[in-house]
Amino acid sequence: MPAADVSVTIDGTRIHDISSFYAELNRVFMQGVEWQLGESLDALNDLLHGGYGALADADEATVVWIDMERNREALGVDATRAWLEAKLGNPGFDQQGVRAQLAELEEGGGPTYFDIILDIFASHPNITLVAAGVPEETS
């Protein structure tokens, strides 16, 4: 079967924190798949490589992200701080590195979770990410 171009839409009005971001990814990308993505930036990166879910047969994909700018705050400094703090005390993570990331974040220089997500999308040249506003309601 020839590869296809795919277009999917992330509904940012459903995203309020890191957990709801992954719930939305699963809703959009993992329909018909018997398993779900975990809350992991590595899982997002793997998803965008394709091979399963909505990108299974995709050569290229367009991802429209509705309400992306509001999500910049929802996945911003506070969410990033909580994500990094959750890693402290977990021996699976480089504790010194996590502390350095927290310090950089608090000084206003470190990337937020949102920034990292955008970097991951940008590392996949076959994926076009399009920011979209919230559609106006019609009466």
Side-chain angles (χ1 to χ4, degrees), residues 90-110:
N90 182 331
F93 295 101
D94 170 14
Q95 299 298 294
Q96 185 175 356
V98 171
R99 284 189 196 88
Q101 288 176 299
L102 269 169
E104 186 179 11
L105 181 72
E106 297 302 340
E107 292 169 6

Side-chain angles (χ1 to χ4, degrees), residues 57-80:
D57 297 318
D59 217 10
E60 295 190 0
T62 299
V63 178
V64 177
W65 188 336
I66 295 172
D67 211 12
M68 179 189 241
E69 284 308 308
R70 189 186 60 78
N71 295 153
R72 182 181 300 276
E73 183 165 334
L75 302 170
V77 172
D78 291 341
T80 307

Side-chain angles (χ1 to χ4, degrees), residues 7 12 14 28-29 31 38 44-46 50 58 67-68 75 84 86 90-92 98 101 108 110-111 124 137:
S7 181
R14 296 171 174 257
V28 170
F29 288 96
Q31 289 183 15
L44 171 61
N45 190 44
D46 290 347
D67 211 12
M68 179 189 241
L75 302 170
L84 290 170
N90 182 331
V98 171
Q101 288 176 299
H124 294 272
E137 291 186 33

Side-chain angles (χ1 to χ4, degrees), residues 11-94:
D11 182 353
T13 64
R14 296 171 174 257
I15 299 171
H16 310 286
D17 55 20
I18 292 172
S19 290
S20 59
F21 170 71
Y22 288 98
E24 179 62 2
L25 289 182
N26 281 310
R27 184 188 73 80
V28 170
F29 288 96
M30 302 300 286
Q31 289 183 15
V33 178
E34 294 181 9
W35 52 277
Q36 300 283 284
L37 295 175
E39 293 182 14
S40 158
L41 292 166
D42 289 335
L44 171 61
N45 190 44
D46 290 347
L47 169 70
L48 296 178
H49 277 291
Y52 55 87
L55 302 179
D57 297 318
D59 217 10
E60 295 190 0
T62 299
V63 178
V64 177
W65 188 336
I66 295 172
D67 211 12
M68 179 189 241
E69 284 308 308
R70 189 186 60 78
N71 295 153
R72 182 181 300 276
E73 183 165 334
L75 302 170
V77 172
D78 291 341
T80 307
R81 182 184 305 111
W83 171 64
L84 290 170
E85 287 174 348
K87 292 181 174 190
L88 290 175
N90 182 331
F93 295 101
D94 170 14

